[in-house]
Amino acid sequence: MSALVRVSAIGCSGFLTGLCVILPFLWQFIWVAPVPFLFVLFSQTHTATRKQALATGAVFGFVFNFTVSASAWSAFPLDWVGIPNPILSVLIIGGISLGSSLCMASGHIFLSWVIFELRTRGLSVFALLATLPLLWVAAEWMQAVLYSLYALGPTSTVNAFSQVASVALALGHSSNGIWIALARWGGMPLLSAFPVLVSACLALAIRSRDVRNVTLLWCACACAICILFLFSSTLAMRAEDNARGTSPSWETADMLTVVVAKTDFPAQFIQTRDVLIARNDIVYSIANEIQSRNINPDVVLLPETVG
């Protein structure tokens, strides 16, 4: 495998993993998206040196985090913060996304470095398989801390809970409530362990040429996932029952009246003064309609960039 093919495979793996996080209809692919990255990372041929291992983590981490940061472009244009120039808005949003992606890529660089050191010291395949989910969660905590430092401001703090780029977010797109139940007990770290463990097994199975080792690997993986799933789901359901017993029911809770305004403003690269005036007129007409219907809302949700 040439260097170009290797880098392309790692980049595609990071890109697909990021898409699984931000696009709900792709969440199922989170089980296989990290496989090319882990395959290269586990291979002694493709990551024979520490430099190659660090580069592998850097490419995957940057592409993954830059893909996830695509949501930042929903803030465009930045006229709502006093920057009407669209080109300047592109430069600012792009620069912020680039900086945060480079910063958070350190988590996967750390992961790749530790895996390389463990692998070169003769750690067995099964021990490597058991260690990877813990290292992946540690890498996600690390990138969360780095992101909180990158976005540190007067009203923010340094913490490990700013999980803006975690593989666990992909499982949140599932309609199966078991993942939400698991998150009640083990949080996002527990959810991250499942797809990473499956992807690691696939990567190791592809790398191994011994049918017996592959069979043993899959059996061990299946047992580990079943035990982890049954143990976690039992505790999660118990936690959900306890939380349900202590939370106030909706009949006794205070009610809020929420009005959502649907305007369907078209996306425009350059917004003239006439366009902004027309949008404001639409918002005012919505407010007048709410008043004419004798609605007294507690919250009115309006789209961004309306003025």
Side-chain angles (χ1 to χ4, degrees), residues 27-28 31 168 170-183 191 229 233 237 240:
W27 77 269
Q28 296 94 335
W31 303 100
L171 297 179
H173 300 313
S174 169
S175 58
N176 192 335
I178 188 62
W179 302 117
I180 304 300
L182 289 177
L191 296 187
F229 187 83
S233 59
M237 286 187 238
E240 185 177 13

Side-chain angles (χ1 to χ4, degrees), residues 210-223:
D210 191 335
V211 177
R212 182 181 177 183
N213 288 340
V214 173
T215 304
L216 290 175
L217 186 62
W218 274 107
C219 291
C221 174
C223 292

Side-chain angles (χ1 to χ4, degrees), residues 4-306:
L4 179 60
V5 174
R6 182 171 62 249
V7 172
S8 300
I10 299 169
C12 290
S13 178
F15 180 65
L16 180 57
T17 306
L19 289 181
C20 294
V21 172
I22 62 177
L23 297 179
F25 62 91
L26 291 178
W27 77 269
Q28 296 94 335
F29 290 96
I30 197 62
W31 303 100
V32 296
V35 169
F37 164 63
L38 296 175
F39 174 82
V40 174
L41 189 60
F42 290 151
S43 174
Q44 297 181 358
T45 303
H46 303 310
T47 52
T49 64
R50 185 177 291 105
K51 183 178 179 180
Q52 289 178 330
L54 296 177
T56 298
V59 172
F60 178 86
F62 173 75
V63 175
F64 168 67
N65 287 289
F66 192 75
T67 304
V68 173
S69 68
S71 58
W73 292 99
S74 61
F76 178 86
L78 297 178
D79 55 346
W80 53 280
V81 292
I83 304 177
N85 190 320
I87 297 179
L88 184 58
S89 297
V90 170
L91 294 176
I92 292 175
I93 298 176
I96 292 175
S97 300
L98 181 63
S100 64
S101 302
L102 290 172
C103 180
M104 291 193 294
S106 302
H108 292 95
I109 295 175
F110 165 77
L111 169 70
S112 301
W113 171 68
V114 176
I115 290 295
F116 174 81
E117 296 297 336
L118 293 176
R119 194 194 68 200
T120 53
R121 283 164 173 74
L123 194 70
S124 66
V125 171
F126 296 100
L128 196 63
L129 185 64
T131 306
L132 179 64
L134 299 177
L135 293 175
W136 190 288
V137 170
E140 289 189 346
W141 278 342
M142 179 179 177
Q143 71 180 21
V145 172
L146 293 173
Y147 178 79
S148 67
L149 286 171
Y150 180 79
L152 190 63
T155 59
S156 61
T157 59
V158 178
N159 63 83
F161 307 105
S162 303
Q163 297 285 359
V164 296
S166 170
V167 295
L169 296 173
L171 297 179
H173 300 313
S174 169
S175 58
N176 192 335
I178 188 62
W179 302 117
I180 304 300
L182 289 177
R184 289 178 179 270
W185 175 69
M188 295 178 65
L190 179 61
L191 296 187
S192 295
F194 282 99
V196 170
L197 186 60
V198 172
S199 295
C201 286
L202 286 172
L204 290 173
I206 294 172
R207 188 178 68 88
S208 177
R209 297 180 180 179
D210 191 335
V211 177
R212 182 181 177 183
N213 288 340
V214 173
T215 304
L216 290 175
L217 186 62
W218 274 107
C219 291
C221 174
C223 292
I225 290 178
C226 289
I227 294 173
L228 183 61
F229 187 83
L230 293 175
F231 176 73
S232 303
S233 59
T234 301
L235 292 179
M237 286 187 238
R238 182 176 300 178
E240 185 177 13
D241 292 337
N242 293 335
R244 187 178 301 157
T246 57
S247 301
S249 62
W250 65 270
E251 289 100 346
T252 59
D254 294 335
M255 303 295 291
L256 291 177
T257 302
V258 180
V259 174
V260 181
K262 182 179 179 181
T263 53
D264 291 330
F265 290 144
Q268 293 175 307
F269 186 71
I270 298 178
Q271 296 181 6
T272 63
R273 180 177 177 81
D274 293 337
V275 171
L276 295 177
I277 292 176
R279 293 188 176 189
N280 283 330
D281 290 340
I282 293 175
V283 173
Y284 289 137
S285 66
I286 293 174
N288 292 331
E289 183 177 355
I290 294 174
Q291 186 177 14
S292 65
R293 295 188 179 186
N294 295 323
I295 301 175
N296 187 21
D298 297 293
V299 179
V300 178
L301 299 180
L302 296 173
E304 295 181 356
T305 67
V306 296

